[in-house]
Amino acid sequence: MDDDAPTGTDNVITEFETYEQFLDSQITPLDLFYLEDEELARQLVELGYRGSGEVLKREEFEARKQQAEASRLAQRNKTKQLAHQGKDIKDPFLKALANREESNRSGKMTSIVFIRDKNSRGQEVSGYIDYAHRLKTEDFEQYFSGKKRLLPKPSDLSFYNWETQTSTSNPTPNYQVIAENASGLLFKNKRDRKILNVDPKSAPGDNSTRVVLDSPKYIQIVIYDHITRRKT
């Protein structure tokens, strides 16, 4: 028997976009006739009292769905060409990202991108983005093709909404955030343990450089490039 053959659960994950669609597939016309309530029928399927197939809890469905998407992106990163290839890129910021894509995907470099601009609601936001991490978790073709603008998120290394005063910071696979420091915000590279200082009045640190970019699409852009050197 082929160990790589998809199981019944795997088929469910790929066949249905949402958990509700999966539940609906388990409900028969007879169930709806007697129950007269679609939501109640869904609840009974989830509890295992109705349905002709495998009982799958919502949490398990969502977890499997996320695993499938992560696996799809990982496979795509291995086999597909770089996201910027074949694109007619004119914006200076996108050109800079394109020049760094291969190095960040391969692990030779871990760039941190600072962006300050307005979001879709007209609110000014700013933040520090782990470019290598975002490349692995998002489809960057949408950015390089101009269909979507790259902006900081609350899940990035650091994020601040100037209107709502919402502030967040998060570690990533590449960096640890050091927020409570007399020198200001610092990022510690998890591979070589070097400190990257984003204070414009200070040097960025060992094996790191700071590049300020002008883009007509953003208020402010700064890219910090850190060359990672594995210990031998």
Side-chain angles (χ1 to χ4, degrees):
M1 183 177 178
D2 187 357
D3 292 335
D4 295 328
T7 65
T9 302
D10 293 332
N11 291 334
V12 165
I13 297 304
T14 55
E15 184 177 351
F16 303 107
E17 283 295 318
T18 66
Y19 187 63
E20 284 70 26
Q21 289 178 2
F22 163 67
L23 293 178
D24 289 345
S25 72
Q26 302 291 304
I27 300 170
T28 67
L30 194 60
D31 290 332
L32 289 176
F33 175 77
Y34 283 114
L35 295 171
E36 298 181 347
D37 187 329
E38 184 179 45
E39 190 57 37
L40 176 59
R42 285 176 174 174
Q43 291 175 11
L44 291 175
V45 170
E46 190 168 359
L47 292 170
Y49 295 116
R50 284 287 187 278
S52 56
E54 179 183 358
V55 178
L56 198 62
K57 295 294 183 184
R58 181 182 296 273
E59 294 78 10
E60 187 178 1
F61 179 90
E62 297 295 345
R64 299 264 185 109
K65 201 74 174 172
Q66 289 180 4
Q67 289 175 2
E69 177 64 12
S71 177
R72 185 187 70 82
L73 284 173
Q75 188 62 29
R76 184 175 186 176
N77 288 339
K78 288 180 182 178
T79 60
K80 199 171 186 292
Q81 65 179 5
L82 296 174
H84 75 269
Q85 290 182 337
K87 308 289 189 302
D88 183 18
I89 301 173
K90 300 188 182 299
D91 179 72
F93 174 47
L94 292 180
K95 281 185 177 180
L97 290 182
N99 291 337
R100 292 163 170 81
E101 184 184 359
E102 192 279 330
S103 295
N104 274 268
R105 286 193 186 276
S106 66
K108 299 173 186 174
M109 177 188 291
T110 49
S111 301
I112 293 179
V113 182
F114 173 79
I115 295 177
R116 181 163 68 94
D117 204 47
K118 292 186 177 181
N119 62 17
S120 58
R121 297 179 180 178
Q123 301 168 333
E124 186 171 315
V125 296
S126 61
Y128 292 89
I129 297 170
D130 180 344
Y131 181 41
H133 180 53
R134 279 274 207 117
L135 279 170
K136 290 184 177 179
T137 56
E138 285 189 67
D139 182 1
F140 259 70
E141 283 193 20
Q142 60 189 341
Y143 298 120
F144 287 122
S145 63
K147 294 178 181 178
K148 190 175 180 181
R149 284 196 319 139
L150 181 64
L151 285 173
K153 300 178 180 180
S155 57
D156 280 315
L157 278 169
S158 178
F159 171 86
Y160 186 69
N161 184 311
W162 292 84
E163 183 172 315
T164 63
Q165 297 187 351
T166 301
S167 177
T168 63
S169 62
N170 308 278
T172 67
N174 301 308
Y175 285 100
Q176 175 186 343
V177 182
I178 305 175
E180 304 298 328
N181 189 279
S183 302
L185 187 63
L186 302 173
F187 299 105
K188 184 176 183 179
N189 188 278
K190 291 183 176 180
R191 182 172 297 178
D192 61 15
R193 306 182 70 80
K194 298 290 186 181
I195 299 294
L196 195 155
N197 191 338
V198 295
D199 183 350
K201 296 179 182 178
S202 303
D206 292 344
N207 307 330
S208 299
T209 56
R210 178 190 296 112
V211 179
V212 179
L213 292 172
D214 289 323
S215 170
K217 298 181 179 180
Y218 292 90
I219 295 174
Q220 186 180 4
I221 297 285
V222 184
I223 299 180
Y224 300 85
D225 293 321
H226 182 72
I227 306 299
T228 52
R229 295 182 179 177
R230 290 187 176 91
K231 293 181 180 180
T232 56

